[in-house]
């Protein structure tokens, strides 16, 4: 295994141990999220800064705010990745944006809070009302096409389309074709397929779609599990050599289990696969602005929600 990959795995494990000790009340799933996010930037988790951000947001919001609970724990970690001098402006902007989104009819909740953060982070200095209007237009297109499976967890991808200047007519023309093509392969349920199809549009090429499907088929052949909640993440990860990438993912899983017993005995297998895929992506993608952090955060929120509901959607291949 290449040294840079080994170093990234070890950093992830060390950050997980730090989170487990210093942020233990977050729970194991968010501790793993913290370890991945800061390994992405090759940094140690800034525990004190994260705690200060949480104190500020708690003082600014009511107990029923969508910025509380698990959402607060997740967003504080994401906010702690931005430059210190931009932190206060980002948080204040985030509050204003969520109010504007709610006024436009978007449902308040954890997914909308993540959407507000994402707009604040990537659309600094841009006209927010125009952005929100475009997000609403794209969401309406999705809702009209797939009314039974389009929900508030689709807000983020609609936002990422707007950030990437993907127009409504492009989505209207291509989403159905991509959806049908993936659905015909019978890899996943319709709900999982939609999230994956939505994310593939961000990559902007049919080649990426075929490589992503091949990657998933290779995982299936090797009986490597992955949960529906994280399928959108696969849509933005480049798979130039799907079989080779699955080889690497298997190696990362094995290395993690050797390094830390938590990864072998006390973790959902589908979630462990995502950890390995994300670590691999960090080492093979040169562009850190591929929204991995935000899509991973959305998957974590969905995963926690499912767990709390007692559903725990671990989809078996």
């Amino acid at each position: 295994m290449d040294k840079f990959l080994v170093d990234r795995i070890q950093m992830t494990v060390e950050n997980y141990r730090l989170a487990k000790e210093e942020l233990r009340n977050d729970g194991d799933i968010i501790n793993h999220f913290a370890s991945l996010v800061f390994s992405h930037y090759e940094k140690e988790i800034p525990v004190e800064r994260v705690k200060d951000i949480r104190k500020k947001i708690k003082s600014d919001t009511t107990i029923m705010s969508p910025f509380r609970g698990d959402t607060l724990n997740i967003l504080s970690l994401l906010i702690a990745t931005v430059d210190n001098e931009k932190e206060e402006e980002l948080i204040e902007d985030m509050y204003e944006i969520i109010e504007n989104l709610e006024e436009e009819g978007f449902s308040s909740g954890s997914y909308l809070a993540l959407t507000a953060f994402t707009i604040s982070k990537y659309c600094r200095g841009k006209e927010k009302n125009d952005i929100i209007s475009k997000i609403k237009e794209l969401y309406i297109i999705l809702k009209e096409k797939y009314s039974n499976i389009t929900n508030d967890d689709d807000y983020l991808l609609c936002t990422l389309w707007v950030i990437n200047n993907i127009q409504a007519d492009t989505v209207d023309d291509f989403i159905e074709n991509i959806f049908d093509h993936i659905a015909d392969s019978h890899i996943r349920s319709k709900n999982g397929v939609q999230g994956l199809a939505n994310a593939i549009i961000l990559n902007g090429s049919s080649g990426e779609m075929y490589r992503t499907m091949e990657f998933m088929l290779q995982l299936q052949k090797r009986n490597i599990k992955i949960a529906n909640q994280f399928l959108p993440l696969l849509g933005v990860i480049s798979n130039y050599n799907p079989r080779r990438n699955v080889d690497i993912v298997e190696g990362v899983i094995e290395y993690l289990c050797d390094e830390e017993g938590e990864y072998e005995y006390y973790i959902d297998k589908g979630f462990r696969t995502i950890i390995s895929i994300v670590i691999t992506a960090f080492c093979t993608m040169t562009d850190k602005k591929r929204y991995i952090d935000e899509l991973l955060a959305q998957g974590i929120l969905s995963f926690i929600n499912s767990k709390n509901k007692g559903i725990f959607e671990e989809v078996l291949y």
Side-chain angles (χ1 to χ4, degrees):
M1 185 177 289
D2 292 334
K3 185 180 183 301
F4 69 89
L5 183 55
V6 170
D7 290 345
R8 193 62 63 92
I9 295 170
Q10 291 178 337
M11 178 177 289
T12 302
V13 172
E14 288 165 8
N15 267 333
Y16 168 67
R17 290 169 178 161
L18 175 63
K20 191 177 177 182
E21 178 65 27
E22 299 293 336
L23 302 170
R24 67 181 70 88
N25 291 335
D26 290 6
D28 210 45
I29 295 171
I30 296 178
N31 286 164
H32 281 296
F33 172 71
S35 73
L36 286 169
V37 167
F38 286 95
S39 296
H40 185 185
Y41 298 98
E42 301 178 67
K43 295 178 180 179
E44 182 180 282
I45 300 169
V47 173
E48 292 309 313
R49 184 181 174 193
V50 170
K51 290 180 178 179
D52 287 342
I53 291 168
R54 293 177 181 181
K55 286 178 185 176
K56 173 177 172 47
I57 294 177
K58 280 184 178 179
S59 69
D60 292 343
T61 60
T62 65
I63 195 169
M64 298 303 292
S65 166
F67 291 110
R68 292 296 194 96
D70 289 326
T71 309
L72 170 63
N73 295 338
I74 289 169
L75 288 182
S76 61
L77 292 164
L78 293 175
I79 293 167
T81 66
V82 306
D83 295 339
N84 289 68
E85 60 269 21
K86 296 178 182 177
E87 178 185 303
E88 186 174 352
E89 180 185 354
L90 186 151
I91 292 172
E92 295 302 321
D93 200 30
M94 186 174 70
Y95 296 153
E96 182 180 345
I97 289 167
I98 199 168
E99 288 183 7
N100 293 342
L101 286 163
E102 289 171 349
E103 287 172 3
E104 285 296 321
F106 291 92
S107 300
S108 183
S110 56
Y111 297 116
L112 198 66
L114 177 59
T115 298
F117 163 81
T118 304
I119 296 171
S120 181
K121 178 180 176 181
Y122 292 107
C123 301
R124 194 164 176 255
K126 296 181 180 179
E127 176 50 55
K128 304 300 193 300
N129 288 333
D130 183 48
I131 289 165
I132 291 170
S133 176
K134 290 178 180 177
I135 293 169
K136 186 175 181 179
E137 181 183 9
L138 290 170
Y139 183 75
I140 289 171
I141 289 173
L142 272 188
K143 194 71 175 173
E144 287 175 346
K145 286 183 177 292
Y146 308 107
S147 59
N148 59 328
I149 55 175
T150 299
N151 296 296
D152 52 357
D153 57 355
D154 292 299
Y155 294 159
L156 178 62
L157 276 161
C158 290
T159 301
L160 295 179
W161 287 341
V162 172
I163 291 169
N164 284 273
N165 295 314
I166 295 172
Q167 304 299 316
D169 56 352
T170 301
V171 174
D172 199 23
D173 288 343
F174 291 103
I175 188 64
E176 199 165 345
N177 185 35
I178 295 172
F179 181 96
D180 291 344
H181 196 89
I182 299 173
D184 287 345
S185 69
H186 304 293
I187 297 175
R188 288 290 171 161
S189 68
K190 284 189 176 180
N191 191 47
V193 167
Q194 186 196 354
L196 177 59
N198 292 351
I200 284 174
I201 287 181
L202 285 171
N203 264 329
S205 89
S206 58
E208 290 289 356
M209 176 182 70
Y210 291 117
R211 284 189 288 269
T212 300
M213 290 173 63
E214 176 62 22
F215 180 73
M216 294 175 66
L217 286 169
Q218 288 297 320
L219 290 173
Q220 180 181 6
K221 286 179 181 178
R222 304 186 199 194
N223 198 31
I224 299 175
K225 305 166 188 174
I226 189 170
N228 266 351
Q229 292 94 333
F230 297 99
L231 288 182
L233 190 62
L234 297 190
V236 300
I237 293 174
S238 297
N239 274 298
Y240 296 112
N241 189 333
R243 292 189 182 191
R244 172 61 178 153
N245 279 2
V246 174
D247 289 341
I248 296 171
V249 167
E250 278 193 306
V252 172
I253 291 172
E254 184 177 344
Y255 199 106
L256 283 169
C257 292
D258 288 342
E259 282 290 303
E260 172 60 58
E262 293 281 348
Y263 293 97
E264 183 168 10
Y265 300 111
Y266 305 109
I267 191 171
D268 175 84
K269 300 299 187 295
F271 185 45
R272 184 179 66 190
T273 301
I274 279 296
I275 292 172
S276 303
I277 288 172
V278 170
I279 292 171
T280 302
F282 291 161
C283 295
T284 56
M285 293 171 62
T286 57
D287 185 0
K288 286 186 169 61
K289 288 191 174 181
R290 293 295 291 270
Y291 317 113
I292 290 180
D293 299 339
E294 289 76 27
L295 288 168
L296 181 59
Q298 176 175 283
I300 293 291
L301 283 170
S302 298
F303 201 65
I304 290 171
N305 289 342
S306 293
K307 189 171 183 288
N308 289 343
K309 290 173 185 175
I311 300 172
F312 214 98
E313 287 184 29
E314 176 184 342
V315 180
L316 303 179
Y317 277 113

